[in-house]
Amino acid sequence: MTTFEDILEEAGKFGRCQMRIFSTFCLVSIPFSFVYVGIVFQGFTPEHWCRDPGVSEIRERCGWSLQGARRATVPLMNSSTGVMYSQCQKLDMDWNATGLTCDNPESEFTKAQLSTLPMTGCTDGWEYDYAGRQSFVTEFDLVCADAWYVDMFQATLSVGFLVGSIAIGYLADKYGRMKSFLMTNFVIGVTGILVATSPNYITLLVFRVLFGFGVKGGWMVGYVLVTELVGMEYRRMVGVTYQMFFSLGLLMLPLLAYFIPNWRWLQVVFTVPYICFLTYYWFIPESPRWLLSQNKRKEALEITKAIAKENKKTLSKLIETLTDENTDPTSTASFMDLFKTSKLRKFTFILSFNWFTSAVVYQGLIMRLGILGGNVYVDFLISGIVELPAAFLILLTIERIGRRLPFAAANIVAGAACLITAFIPDNLFWLKSAVACVGRLGITMAFEMVVFVNTELYPTVIRNLGVSVCSTLCDIGGIVAPFLLYRLAVIWLELPLIIFGALAFVAGGLVLLLPETKGMPLPETIDDIECPNRNKENQLKSQQLENLLPSDVTSNKEVTAV
C-alpha cells in the first residue's frame, strides 16, 4: 500500500500548486498580527489630566496650549516612574476667582503652592495630549480607576482565541480544513465590523470575544493545511515562512496606525482582509492527507491528481494503492487522545507550557512599548524589524542542529535578556534597548518554533486538535499578559520583566525533554508516536521499494515541463 508521502514523491513535494496555495495562505498571517497586538495603537493611553471647566475657559480666552495650561494648573505627584503631573486628581478650586492672568501663567503659582492646595477627583472628565487622534481609551475615558478595562480589551480577544482554537480545531479534524477555514472568515468579517461600530465599551468587549473566536482558529487551520500538502523536507521552510509573514504584518501595523488615526477605522482595516479570504473557496483544495484519514479516498485521489497536473508531473500506478492504512476510518479525534499514552501526556504538558510562556512574554514585551513613553510608532517599527532575523536563524539552525536545541536556546536567551534588562539603569538607554531587542528576538524564535514542533509531534488523526488544544494555553497567557504587565508595572515598571525571565527559563529547560523531530516523517497514528522506529522503517522500506521499481515507472517521477 502507498502512503501520501510516497505519492508526493511523484506529484511534487513543493511544486507550483503547493507554492500557490502556500503563498495565498501566508497572507493570513498578516492581518492576524494586526489583531494580535493592535491594542498598542487601538488602546493607546496618551498623557492625560483632569479637565477643569474653569481652566478650559481661561485657556480659550488666553489662547494657551494644552501643555501650557497643564504646566500652570496641574500639580506634580510622585509615581512608580518618578515625579509626573497628576493624572487622576485636580485642584479643588475656582480658577476664575484666582486672578490668574494670561501674560505669564507659570509664575502665578509655584509648584510648591499647587502641591499644598486641596485635591478632588476628575468629575468633569479628562484632557488628552492626543490631538487629531482617537483610541478607545480616549473615547470611553478608560483611565485612572477605569484603566483596568483596557486590559479587558486584550483579555476578551484571548478568551475568543481560547474557545475558538478548541472548537475550530475539532471542526477542522472532523469536517475538513477548508470548510472550517471559510466558516471562521465569515464569522470574523461579521464580528469585526460589529466591533468597529460598537456604541459602548461593554458591547465592544462582547463582539471582541466573537471576533477572536475566528481569528486564531482560522490561522491555525491554515498552518496545518499547508504543512500537510508539502513533502517532509519542506515542512520547516513552510512553517517558518508562514510565521515570518506575521512579522511582516508587524512592520505594516505602525504605518497603518499612523495614517489611520481613529481606532474604529483601524478595526475596519483589520477586518477587510478576512472578508477577502472567503474567495479561497474557489481555488484552494481540501487537504488530501485529511481526506485519507477520513477514508475519503476518491476525493483524495482527485485532488492529488490535480496537484500533480498543476505541477506538470506524471503519476504512476502507485496512486491506485493510495491509502491511509494505519488509520481507523470509524474513529474521530477526541480530547482524551492527547493524554492516551505517557509520551502524548508529556508532549501535551511541555508544549502547552511553552505556548503559555511564549504568549505572556511576547505580548508583554510588545505591549510594554505603549507604556515606556517616546514615539510609539517608531519604537514599534524598530522592534518589528528585530523580529525578522528570527525566521532566518531558525532556517539556518533547525536542519543543521535540529529542532530541540535551538528551541530551548531561544527560550533561555529570551529569559536572560528580560532579567538583565530589568536591572540596567535607565540612563544607559541604548544598552537597555539593545538587550531588550535580544529578548524580543529570542521569544520570537521560541514562539515560531512551538507551532512548528507542535505540528510535527502529533499524528494526523489528532494533529489539528493537538495544536489547537495546546495553543489554548497561549490564549490563557494572552488573558494573563495585559493584567500582568499593566498592573505590576504600576508597582515597579521592570517587575513584569522579572516574571517574563523566570517563565522563559523554565520553558527552555522543559523543551530539552522533548524528542528530536529532525528528518522524521509526520506521524500518522498514535502508534507511530509510541514506536517511532517503526515509522522510520516504513519510510526506509518505501525508499527500497522505489529503487526496485522498473525504470519506466520511476522515470515518470521525473517528468516535468521544461
Side-chain angles (χ1 to χ4, degrees):
M1 292 184 288
T2 308
T3 66
F4 187 68
E5 291 285 351
D6 299 327
I7 294 301
L8 277 180
E9 292 278 351
E10 298 181 346
K13 295 182 178 182
F14 193 60
R16 180 179 176 181
C17 181
Q18 288 101 325
M19 289 180 185
R20 174 179 61 82
I21 295 171
F22 171 60
S23 60
T24 54
F25 267 104
C26 280
L27 298 178
V28 178
S29 289
I30 294 176
F32 181 44
S33 68
F34 300 163
V35 175
Y36 196 68
V37 294
I39 186 176
V40 174
F41 302 103
Q42 289 181 294
F44 182 72
T45 303
E47 287 289 325
H48 56 278
W49 57 94
C50 297
R51 180 184 295 117
D52 190 302
V55 174
S56 298
E57 183 180 330
I58 296 172
R59 182 170 64 83
E60 291 178 7
R61 185 176 71 244
C62 298
W64 295 344
S65 65
L66 275 175
Q67 292 291 342
R70 182 175 70 165
R71 286 193 297 269
T73 62
V74 179
L76 293 172
M77 306 284 288
N78 290 318
S79 70
S80 61
T81 57
V83 178
M84 60 185 297
Y85 287 103
S86 176
Q87 296 181 329
C88 302
Q89 288 185 306
K90 65 179 180 179
L91 296 173
D92 188 12
M93 60 187 299
D94 182 4
W95 286 98
N96 290 318
T98 61
L100 188 66
T101 63
C102 298
D103 297 332
N104 191 16
E106 294 185 51
S107 66
E108 298 292 331
F109 295 95
T110 65
K111 297 302 178 186
Q113 288 175 319
L114 289 177
S115 300
T116 59
L117 294 173
M119 307 285 287
T120 186
C122 299
T123 54
D124 298 296
W126 285 263
E127 298 280 8
Y128 297 98
D129 186 15
Y130 207 44
R133 297 186 172 274
Q134 186 179 63
S135 67
F136 64 78
V137 172
T138 62
E139 180 175 339
F140 298 115
D141 284 336
L142 303 180
V143 292
C144 296
D146 291 333
W148 68 276
Y149 281 108
V150 180
D151 307 357
M152 292 297 297
F153 184 80
Q154 191 71 3
T156 51
L157 178 72
S158 295
V159 169
F161 283 175
L162 175 63
V163 178
S165 293
I166 297 175
I168 296 170
Y170 175 78
L171 292 174
D173 279 334
K174 187 169 185 178
Y175 297 107
R177 313 315 194 200
M178 278 307 298
K179 288 180 181 177
S180 300
F181 177 78
L182 294 170
M183 182 272 292
T184 60
N185 283 280
F186 177 78
V187 171
I188 294 166
V190 173
T191 56
I193 299 300
L194 290 174
V195 169
T197 57
S198 298
N200 55 64
Y201 194 64
I202 299 301
T203 305
L204 184 153
L205 293 180
V206 173
F207 291 140
R208 179 81 167 166
V209 173
L210 299 176
F211 184 62
F213 177 87
V215 171
K216 174 74 174 295
W219 185 82
M220 294 302 301
V221 170
Y223 182 91
V224 170
L225 191 149
V226 297
T227 303
E228 290 182 339
L229 281 175
V230 302
M232 179 184 67
E233 61 268 40
Y234 291 98
R235 291 202 312 263
R236 64 182 180 86
M237 183 273 294
V238 165
V240 174
T241 307
Y242 185 78
Q243 295 171 84
M244 188 174 69
F245 274 77
F246 182 96
S247 297
L248 292 177
L250 293 180
L251 297 181
M252 297 170 61
L253 179 56
L255 300 177
L256 289 173
Y258 182 80
F259 290 107
I260 304 175
N262 187 287
W263 74 271
R264 292 183 182 272
W265 283 108
L266 198 59
Q267 174 65 31
V268 172
V269 171
F270 292 175
T271 305
V272 168
Y274 289 101
I275 298 175
C276 296
F277 294 152
L278 291 172
T279 60
Y280 285 14
Y281 171 80
W282 285 280
F283 55 90
I284 302 294
E286 182 55 85
S287 166
R289 197 186 295 270
W290 175 82
L291 290 169
L292 286 172
S293 73
Q294 300 299 305
N295 201 30
K296 297 182 179 181
R297 183 174 177 275
K298 182 179 179 181
E299 296 175 47
L301 285 174
E302 291 176 355
I303 293 174
T304 305
K305 289 177 180 178
I307 292 173
K309 182 178 179 181
E310 187 172 345
N311 289 343
K312 293 182 170 55
K313 297 278 189 175
T314 302
L315 296 175
S316 70
K317 293 183 179 180
L318 281 176
I319 194 170
E320 301 301 328
T321 61
L322 177 62
T323 185
D324 193 33
E325 75 257 16
N326 294 319
T327 304
D328 181 2
T330 63
S331 66
T332 57
S334 165
F335 174 77
M336 294 309 297
D337 287 339
L338 302 178
F339 304 91
K340 194 170 185 179
T341 68
S342 59
K343 286 187 177 180
L344 282 174
R345 286 192 292 271
K346 181 175 73 172
F347 294 171
T348 302
F349 169 74
I350 294 175
L351 291 170
S352 296
F353 185 82
N354 270 269
W355 274 105
F356 176 83
T357 299
S358 295
V360 169
V361 179
Y362 185 81
Q363 286 193 54
L365 291 179
I366 291 181
M367 290 188 294
R368 187 170 176 267
L369 296 172
I371 63 175
L372 292 178
N375 189 319
V376 67
Y377 302 99
V378 174
D379 292 344
F380 195 98
L381 182 63
I382 292 173
S383 69
I385 293 173
V386 169
E387 284 197 12
L388 290 179
F392 297 105
L393 287 174
I394 291 173
L395 291 173
L396 285 173
T397 58
I398 61 175
E399 200 60 31
R400 293 173 174 81
I401 302 174
R403 278 63 159 159
R404 184 175 57 180
L405 290 179
F407 189 11
N411 274 295
I412 293 171
V413 168
C418 287
L419 292 174
I420 294 171
T421 302
F423 295 102
I424 296 177
D426 291 336
N427 59 344
L428 298 176
F429 174 76
W430 290 109
L431 177 60
K432 194 178 185 78
S433 299
V435 176
C437 286
V438 172
R440 176 74 178 274
L441 176 63
I443 200 61
T444 299
M445 288 184 63
F447 214 161
E448 292 183 1
M449 291 200 71
V450 69
V451 187
F452 183 68
V453 173
N454 204 158
T455 304
E456 290 191 334
L457 285 175
Y458 284 110
T460 299
V461 290
I462 58 171
R463 182 171 298 121
N464 209 90
L465 180 64
V467 173
S468 298
V469 169
C470 287
S471 71
T472 58
L473 268 293
C474 165
D475 306 324
I476 293 174
I479 296 172
V480 171
F483 294 99
L484 186 64
L485 174 72
Y486 296 131
R487 297 314 112 209
L488 291 183
V490 173
I491 301 171
W492 178 35
L493 187 61
E494 312 297 352
L495 183 56
L497 291 178
I498 306 298
I499 308 298
F500 298 161
L503 287 172
F505 266 118
V506 174
L510 289 174
V511 166
L512 296 174
L513 301 177
L514 292 175
E516 180 57 65
T517 57
K518 173 188 172 184
M520 295 290 293
L522 283 174
E524 300 290 343
T525 69
I526 293 176
D527 288 340
D528 291 339
I529 298 295
E530 295 301 309
C531 305
N533 290 332
R534 188 183 69 177
N535 206 17
K536 293 175 74 175
E537 290 173 2
N538 289 339
Q539 183 187 23
L540 180 61
K541 289 179 181 179
S542 176
Q543 293 174 348
Q544 291 174 341
L545 178 62
E546 179 184 323
N547 294 333
L548 292 173
L549 288 173
S551 59
D552 61 327
V553 175
T554 55
S555 63
N556 286 335
K557 299 181 183 181
E558 301 173 359
V559 176
T560 57
V562 179

